Amino acid sequence: QLEAEIERFRKENEKCRRLRVEREAELQETRKQRERLAEEFLREREEAAVQVEEEKKRLAKERKRLDTERERQRASAALHEKRERELTEATATVKDLQAKLANTEARAKATVQRLSKQLEGLAKQSQEQKDRIISLEAEKRELTERLATRIAKERLAAAAAASSAGGGGGNGTGARMGGRNGESSGGALSTCRSSAAGGGGRGG
């Protein structure tokens, strides 16, 4: 039953290790995604800012040209109305670009906040997996020690039984055999503990 319990804890430990690797990969991917989105947001904001500045310059030139044209052709009301429409359209274009820039910033901010929450959640899950692994390792060490103690007791009992079966005439021989059995049991206990420690290292 102890061997089955140890095997179950080894499988659980391996499962936790795989989960930890997967969580770390997800964390890494989330960080990369957040960096990519941040870069994309900065690039879009710079492009929108450039477009706004270009449109402002074009609007200033258009306004200056309109003023010159208006002074030169004050008598032409039709031309004046046309230029006013162009100015209105240019102003509307600037407002549209400004609205797009604000929308892009808001969307990028919401995305960054969402990714930050996901990263916090993954970090919390990773910490829970680490705590679970530590608990499983402690249980595994306890089971290993119990198993080693049980094996040692069984071997010592077998040695004592063999010594008693030797009878009074063979007390010296039984004692020598008991001594050798005790040494063998001690060696088996050391070997068992070494094997259990090695298994724990591999499981970890």
Side-chain angles (χ1 to χ4, degrees):
Q1 183 179 0
L2 285 175
E3 287 81 0
E5 207 171 343
I6 290 173
E7 184 63 24
R8 182 176 65 81
F9 277 109
R10 285 179 179 173
K11 290 181 179 179
E12 185 72 13
N13 190 24
E14 180 63 21
K15 180 179 178 181
C16 289
R17 187 188 66 79
R18 288 197 302 269
L19 287 173
R20 180 176 56 187
V21 171
E22 292 174 0
R23 292 299 181 192
E24 290 175 353
E26 290 177 0
L27 285 171
Q28 187 67 20
E29 182 61 27
T30 302
R31 292 192 188 98
K32 291 180 180 179
Q33 185 178 2
R34 186 174 63 177
E35 291 174 358
R36 287 196 300 269
L37 287 173
E39 292 174 358
E40 183 179 356
F41 162 69
L42 291 176
R43 184 174 64 254
E44 290 179 358
R45 186 174 65 178
E46 290 174 357
E47 291 175 356
V50 169
Q51 290 179 359
V52 169
E53 288 299 323
E54 290 177 354
E55 194 62 28
K56 284 182 178 179
K57 290 179 181 178
R58 192 182 74 81
L59 179 60
K61 290 180 180 179
E62 186 68 17
R63 187 185 296 275
K64 184 178 181 180
R65 187 178 68 81
L66 177 61
D67 291 338
T68 303
E69 191 74 11
R70 198 165 43 206
E71 290 175 0
R72 207 165 29 170
Q73 300 180 5
R74 190 176 297 272
S76 179
L79 183 61
H80 176 70
E81 290 176 358
K82 180 182 178 181
R83 299 309 182 191
E84 286 293 338
R85 282 197 306 270
E86 291 178 354
L87 179 60
T88 302
E89 291 174 358
T91 303
T93 302
V94 170
K95 289 182 179 179
D96 289 340
L97 289 173
Q98 289 176 340
K100 288 180 180 179
L101 177 60
N103 186 38
T104 300
E105 290 178 347
R107 188 173 65 251
K109 182 178 179 181
T111 302
V112 169
Q113 289 177 351
R114 177 174 57 82
L115 290 174
S116 297
K117 289 182 179 179
Q118 289 180 358
L119 186 60
E120 290 174 0
L122 290 173
K124 182 178 179 180
Q125 291 178 1
S126 178
Q127 184 60 43
E128 290 175 354
Q129 291 295 330
K130 289 180 181 178
D131 295 340
R132 176 61 178 164
I133 289 172
I134 292 173
S135 177
L136 288 173
E137 288 177 350
E139 292 181 17
K140 182 175 67 178
R141 284 195 299 270
E142 181 181 355
L143 284 173
T144 302
E145 292 177 358
R146 285 168 54 191
L147 180 61
T149 302
R150 178 179 173 182
I151 292 173
K153 287 181 178 180
E154 289 178 353
R155 291 187 176 179
L156 288 174
S163 178
S164 298
N171 285 339
T173 304
R176 287 192 298 271
M177 290 178 64
R180 285 194 295 271
N181 287 333
E183 293 173 358
S184 176
S185 299
L189 177 59
S190 299
T191 302
C192 180
R193 288 179 177 173
S194 298
S195 300
R202 288 190 298 272

